[in-house]
Amino acid sequence: RGAGLGRDFTTAPEISQIFGELIGLWIAHIRQSLPGLAPSNIVEMGPGRGTLMRDILRSLELVYPQTKKSVKLIEASPVLKARQMETLSGPHPVQHVDRLEDMSPGPFILIANEFLDCLPVRQFTRLKGVWHERWVGLDAAGALAFGLSPALDRRPYPPPSQNAASIDADCADDKDKDKDIEIEVQPALDNLVEALAARAGAGDAFHALFIDYGPQDKTPDNTLRAYFEGAQIPVLDRPGLADLTVDVDFGRLSRLAEAAGLGVSGPQSQGQFLAHLGIQARLDALVRAHPDRGEDLFSGAQKLIEPGGMGTRFKVICLSSPGLAPVFPFSDQAE
């Protein structure tokens, strides 16, 4: 995200410590299904300030108090890398890697909270049955402006390869092929699934948990948004300084993973996921231990699960290497 350490977004780990603590307990539970996994060989993509991993490790200390946890952080920003090392200074070894492909072989558990929404997006518009891509150029005054590409035909359209037929396939919920519509495609979802499938092909067992906002039953349309200093601004204002975000296409992510032979659990709403993990019990315990903070603790937990807000807008999905048992809580609860 362009704003680096700016607080244009408030993420779940910063709203309530319960979020990371429950993720830590989830890791402790599912690690039993990964043969050969150390007590916690954890990977986080896009760790932000390190808040989520700090809360995860605190929770895991309760389960494995005498065991060092092996932590890998996938982060591009040098500024955020430094902040993460400050937050996670302690007894557990923390290593930064640039890509999933750079990790050493072996089983792992991967966590990514509000990472997918930051991946680049391509926007396509179908007008009178003809697809065009939304491009950025200059207007008559020399300012950045959106426009449309020439018509896309059935030939591959680089880079990356994209053509009208593949766009139609991505538009899974579109029944009327003559209707004018807009859709968004995140090519990096393909790259992510390919990287996970390559790890599985090399023999690595893993579970990869992704938590983000977006629909699970439709293709996102024009959801690209920009934020600067806590306020939404026009997308092309302040390039390189504003935080950019889009809704994640969980349906497409599921289809890509299944086509690559990976196991897919979910998606499930964040509210359901945290309820199954015991958010109410953890909240009650914290309030008993810290009655002076009861109101703040309750307010934070409610924000994570409230219907119509984070509880339903955010989804949770787990991609796994082939042959592993169904993942809790997706396996035990009806949607």
Side-chain angles (χ1 to χ4, degrees):
R1 287 172 172 169
L5 290 177
R7 300 187 65 85
D8 293 327
F9 293 93
T10 301
T11 60
E14 294 157 345
I15 291 173
S16 173
Q17 69 183 72
I18 298 175
F19 183 81
E21 291 172 348
L22 292 179
I23 299 297
L25 294 178
W26 178 81
I27 290 172
H29 177 80
I30 67 155
R31 67 162 292 271
Q32 302 171 48
S33 68
L34 295 178
L37 181 71
S40 55
N41 188 17
I42 315 167
V43 184
E44 185 178 1
M45 303 183 86
R49 301 169 182 83
T51 306
L52 175 58
M53 184 57 68
R54 180 193 63 197
D55 293 341
I56 286 174
L57 291 173
R58 184 173 62 250
S59 185
L60 286 172
E61 279 296 299
L62 301 175
V63 184
Y64 307 111
Q66 303 301 321
T67 306
K68 287 190 175 181
K69 321 309 188 278
S70 175
V71 176
K72 307 284 194 307
L73 303 178
I74 300 177
E75 176 60 65
S77 166
V79 176
L80 285 174
K81 285 180 179 179
R83 172 63 70 86
Q84 291 154 15
M85 296 304 289
E86 290 176 8
T87 303
L88 299 174
S89 60
H92 309 295
V94 177
Q95 176 187 358
H96 279 103
V97 294
D98 293 330
R99 306 178 307 154
L100 187 63
E101 295 89 332
D102 297 331
M103 286 171 38
S104 56
F108 61 91
I109 296 173
L110 184 147
I111 306 294
N113 178 61
E114 293 195 51
F115 170 78
L116 300 178
D117 66 277
C118 302
L119 299 178
V121 69
R122 298 179 72 181
Q123 297 182 318
F124 298 93
T125 299
R126 189 175 63 202
L127 299 173
K128 298 181 179 179
V130 178
W131 282 107
H132 304 264
E133 184 169 9
R134 200 177 184 209
W135 283 357
V136 177
L138 299 177
D139 62 17
L144 293 175
F146 284 112
L148 294 180
S149 74
L152 306 184
D153 59 18
R154 299 282 160 173
R155 295 171 297 176
Y157 189 72
S161 180
Q162 193 79 53
N163 58 37
S166 67
I167 300 170
D168 281 332
D170 282 328
C171 221
D173 58 315
D174 175 31
K175 306 302 181 185
D176 183 359
K177 299 301 181 183
D178 294 322
K179 182 177 66 174
D180 291 352
I181 60 171
E182 294 180 311
I183 70 166
E184 291 174 331
V185 178
Q186 289 180 288
L189 293 183
D190 303 65
N191 304 131
L192 173 64
V193 169
E194 289 171 5
L196 289 171
R199 301 294 304 216
D204 292 344
F206 63 82
H207 292 300
L209 190 76
F210 297 93
I211 307 165
D212 229 306
Y213 42 84
Q216 64 186 63
D217 55 359
K218 67 183 295 291
T219 306
D221 44 30
N222 183 5
T223 72
L224 179 62
R225 305 177 295 283
Y227 292 86
F228 182 75
E229 295 183 348
Q232 187 170 351
I233 64 173
V235 170
L236 297 181
D237 284 6
R238 296 186 173 274
L241 297 175
D243 280 341
L244 300 179
T245 181
V246 295
D247 285 5
V248 176
D249 189 345
F250 282 94
R252 181 168 183 267
L253 178 58
S254 297
R255 295 192 299 273
L256 289 170
E258 289 170 351
L262 300 179
V264 179
S265 301
Q268 182 179 86
S269 72
Q270 177 174 287
Q272 287 177 307
F273 183 76
L274 295 178
H276 300 334
L277 295 184
I279 188 171
Q280 186 62 56
R282 180 56 182 153
L283 172 62
D284 293 344
L286 281 173
V287 171
R288 286 194 299 271
H290 306 280
D292 56 317
R293 296 174 52 208
E295 186 173 339
D296 289 341
L297 289 167
F298 177 80
S299 175
Q302 283 299 112
K303 287 179 181 178
L304 297 178
I305 62 174
E306 61 186 350
M310 295 183 74
T312 50
R313 178 151 167 67
F314 279 68
K315 309 296 188 304
V316 186
I317 190 171
C318 186
L319 309 184
S320 306
S321 53
L324 297 180
V327 178
F328 173 84
F330 308 97
S331 57
D332 289 12
Q333 300 290 337
E335 289 294 317

